Amino acid sequence: MKDASHHISGNIEKEPIANDSLASAELKSEMIELQMSMAHLELTVERLDQVIARQDKDIQTLQRQLQLIYNQMQSQNQGDGIAPFDVLADKPPHY
């Protein structure tokens, strides 16, 4: 009987250790997966930041170009005395 009870208690003690090591392995696996996901998200954010910076630069360039065109049109209209084109009022007859 002593041998059987000793054998049973020995198995009980080993089981939690096995469960702990299994849980530890699962936690490590989950941690690695989270780290990989975070690295992917950081890369995505960095790429999006680069896109936003480029788009901001493009918008600023387009705004400057539009301002130059507007200024040219204003100076031409003032010099020639021509009224600006109104899309709604000056529709061609085929519309």
Side-chain angles (χ1 to χ4, degrees), residues 17-33:
I17 293 171
N19 285 340
D20 286 347
S21 112
L22 180 61
S24 177
E26 287 177 8
L27 284 175
K28 285 180 185 178
S29 175
E30 288 177 13
M31 179 69 83
I32 290 170
E33 191 174 320

Side-chain angles (χ1 to χ4, degrees), residues 41-91:
L41 290 173
E42 287 174 347
L43 182 60
T44 301
V45 167
E46 184 178 321
R47 287 179 181 164
L48 288 173
D49 185 51
Q50 291 171 354
V51 168
I52 290 169
R54 188 182 70 239
Q55 288 177 343
D56 183 54
K57 184 179 175 184
D58 291 345
I59 288 170
Q60 289 177 7
T61 300
L62 290 170
Q63 286 175 332
R64 283 192 302 273
Q65 291 173 347
L66 185 60
Q67 186 64 42
L68 287 173
I69 292 170
Y70 179 76
N71 290 341
Q72 286 176 344
M73 289 181 65
Q74 287 292 85
S75 67
Q76 286 176 356
N77 287 341
Q78 289 174 358
D80 295 339
I82 299 173
F85 180 74
D86 183 0
V87 177
L88 296 176
D90 299 330
K91 284 186 182 178

